[in-house]
Amino acid sequence: MTDTTIDEDAELLLAAMVVRLTGVRGRECLFCDVARMVDEHGCDTTLRFVRNYRDQRAPKPTALERRMGAMGATATASCS
């Protein structure tokens, strides 16, 4: 028997699934990661996948969204 409760076990399982479903894979670049995530999870017209990549690869730089916007990416852009 383990020393963890069912709630703690569920939280650990959920955290592992989040990493598995949204984690950056290997040496995947930003654009490949975002394209894969949009294919797998759909687009909600936000920059959530860009932020997710940044948070996993380089959490200190915070200008990524602004830089992406300067290149034409917007949180309200169509994902067609």
Side-chain angles (χ1 to χ4, degrees):
M1 186 121 205
T2 65
D3 293 333
T4 60
T5 66
I6 193 164
D7 292 342
E8 292 168 329
D9 288 341
E11 285 184 31
L12 290 172
L13 178 61
L14 182 59
M17 291 305 298
V18 166
V19 170
R20 185 172 182 190
L21 292 173
T22 65
V24 178
R25 296 181 181 165
R27 296 178 57 175
E28 200 168 41
C29 73
L30 169 67
F31 299 105
C32 292
D33 178 69
V34 170
R36 177 179 57 82
M37 295 300 287
V38 169
D39 285 346
E40 291 178 6
H41 304 287
C43 178
D44 66 358
T45 68
T46 68
L47 296 175
R48 66 185 173 145
F49 299 132
V50 171
R51 283 190 296 272
N52 182 57
Y53 184 91
R54 187 227 28 233
D55 290 347
Q56 290 184 46
R57 294 293 180 158
K60 291 189 183 221
T62 57
L64 182 58
E65 290 93 340
R66 181 176 42 79
R67 288 175 40 218
M68 293 293 291
M71 293 187 303
T74 66
T76 58
S78 172
C79 297
S80 51

